[in-house]
């Protein structure tokens, strides 16, 4: 864990962006295509913590980006080169563009200042999407990564952020995966090697005093 002073330095609002990963109704909502993951995101408190972090970001001038995974109804250009993609095609709830499934899930609130980035392919919410260019235009140096899943998309986002030169911060109680016992092991043995691992309350403590982008 980083010291409060070090974390506060990393979380300077003008150079920090909060990324929510696949926090969409078809993934973490009550009618999720992945009910086990949705239950874990809610029962662990991760989804509620993400909502708290988003609210604090709105109040402190930290930019929020929501990364959404979706597919066209005709499946055109969708990835099919992994078992995960092929399994997704058979799920009863599909993440179709324009549908309720790809809306950001409550209790997370989306404001007009938030940016929503939608991808039609791949595993990463960062690499191969608009996110890197947006982060650079925003003057981002620190990327706070939250959401699901700790199995695939979260490690992808963290590794990509680090490879692109950003400092990654991961509130460990604002990500979720399955089975639940996998998440702390993955954080301890993988993410902690490349990211600053912290908690929602510690991030909130750094963002508590409202500040606006200049």
């Amino acid at each position: 864990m980083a010291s409060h002073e070090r974390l506060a330095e990393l979380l300077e609002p003008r150079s920090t962006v909060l990324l929510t990963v696949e926090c969409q109704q078809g993934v973490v909502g009550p009618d999720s295509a992945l009910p086990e993951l949705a239950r874990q995101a809610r029962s662990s408190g991760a989804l509620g913590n993400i909502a708290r972090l988003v609210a604090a970001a709105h109040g402190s001038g930290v930019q929020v980006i929501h990364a959404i995974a979706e597919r066209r109804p005709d499946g055109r250009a969708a990835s099919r080169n992994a078992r995960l993609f092929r399994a997704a095609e058979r799920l009863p709830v599909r993440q179709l563009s324009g549908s309720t499934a790809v809306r950001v899930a409550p209790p997370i609130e989306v404001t007009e200042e938030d940016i929503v980035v939608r991808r039609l392919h791949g595993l990463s919410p960062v690499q191969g999407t608009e996110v890197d260019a947006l982060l650079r235009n925003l003057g981002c140096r620190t990327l706070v990564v939250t959401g699901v899943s700790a199995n695939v998309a979260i490690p992808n986002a963290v590794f990509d952020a680090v490879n692109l030169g950003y400092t990654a911060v991961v509130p460990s109680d604002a990500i979720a995966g399955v089975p639940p016992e996998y998440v702390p092991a993955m954080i301890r043995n993988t993410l902690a090697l490349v990211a600053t691992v912290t908690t929602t309350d510690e991030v909130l403590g750094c963002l508590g005093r409202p500040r606006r982008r200049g």
Side-chain angles (χ1 to χ4, degrees), residues 116-130:
V116 179
V117 175
R118 303 180 182 278
R119 78 177 193 276
L120 293 171
H121 66 91
L123 298 170
S124 175
V126 177
Q127 186 67 39
T129 73
E130 297 176 273

Side-chain angles (χ1 to χ4, degrees), residues 6-206:
R6 171 59 177 157
L7 188 61
E9 180 182 339
L10 289 177
L11 296 175
E12 164 57 44
R14 289 172 294 182
S15 58
T16 298
V17 172
L18 173 65
L19 180 70
T20 75
V21 177
E22 296 179 25
C23 293
Q24 56 205 72
Q25 295 198 38
V27 175
V28 297
D31 298 319
S32 170
L34 303 164
E36 184 181 3
L37 177 60
R39 284 193 298 271
Q40 184 58 28
R42 291 176 178 276
S43 66
S44 68
L47 193 60
N49 285 332
I50 296 165
R52 294 169 65 207
L53 289 166
V54 168
H58 291 157
S60 61
V62 169
Q63 179 66 54
V64 178
I65 296 179
H66 304 282
I68 302 295
E70 60 182 48
R71 58 185 292 122
R72 289 166 50 109
D74 61 8
R76 190 177 299 273
S79 299
R80 294 185 175 84
N81 58 334
R83 181 174 142 199
L84 178 64
F85 301 130
R86 296 190 294 272
E89 293 179 348
R90 300 190 296 270
L91 292 173
V93 177
R94 301 172 69 199
Q95 314 299 317
L96 299 182
S97 301
S99 70
T100 301
V102 297
R103 295 178 185 170
V104 176
I108 299 169
E109 293 188 3
V110 181
T111 68
E112 291 182 358
E113 290 78 19
D114 293 1
I115 299 172
V116 179
V117 175
R118 303 180 182 278
R119 78 177 193 276
L120 293 171
H121 66 91
L123 298 170
S124 175
V126 177
Q127 186 67 39
T129 73
E130 297 176 273
V131 169
D132 179 37
L134 294 173
L135 294 178
R136 295 189 187 282
N137 288 346
L138 290 163
C140 177
R141 295 178 60 191
T142 300
L143 185 65
V144 181
V145 180
T146 67
V148 297
S149 73
N151 305 75
V152 178
I154 296 298
N156 263 269
V158 170
F159 285 131
D160 288 342
V162 172
N163 285 332
L164 289 166
Y166 304 103
T167 296
V169 171
V170 179
S172 59
D173 53 356
I175 66 172
V178 290
E181 59 269 20
Y182 169 74
V183 179
M186 188 276 298
I187 292 171
R188 182 174 61 253
N189 295 299
T190 302
L191 295 189
L193 303 178
V194 295
T196 297
V197 177
T198 183
T199 67
T200 295
D201 284 343
E202 288 172 335
V203 173
L204 293 176
C206 294

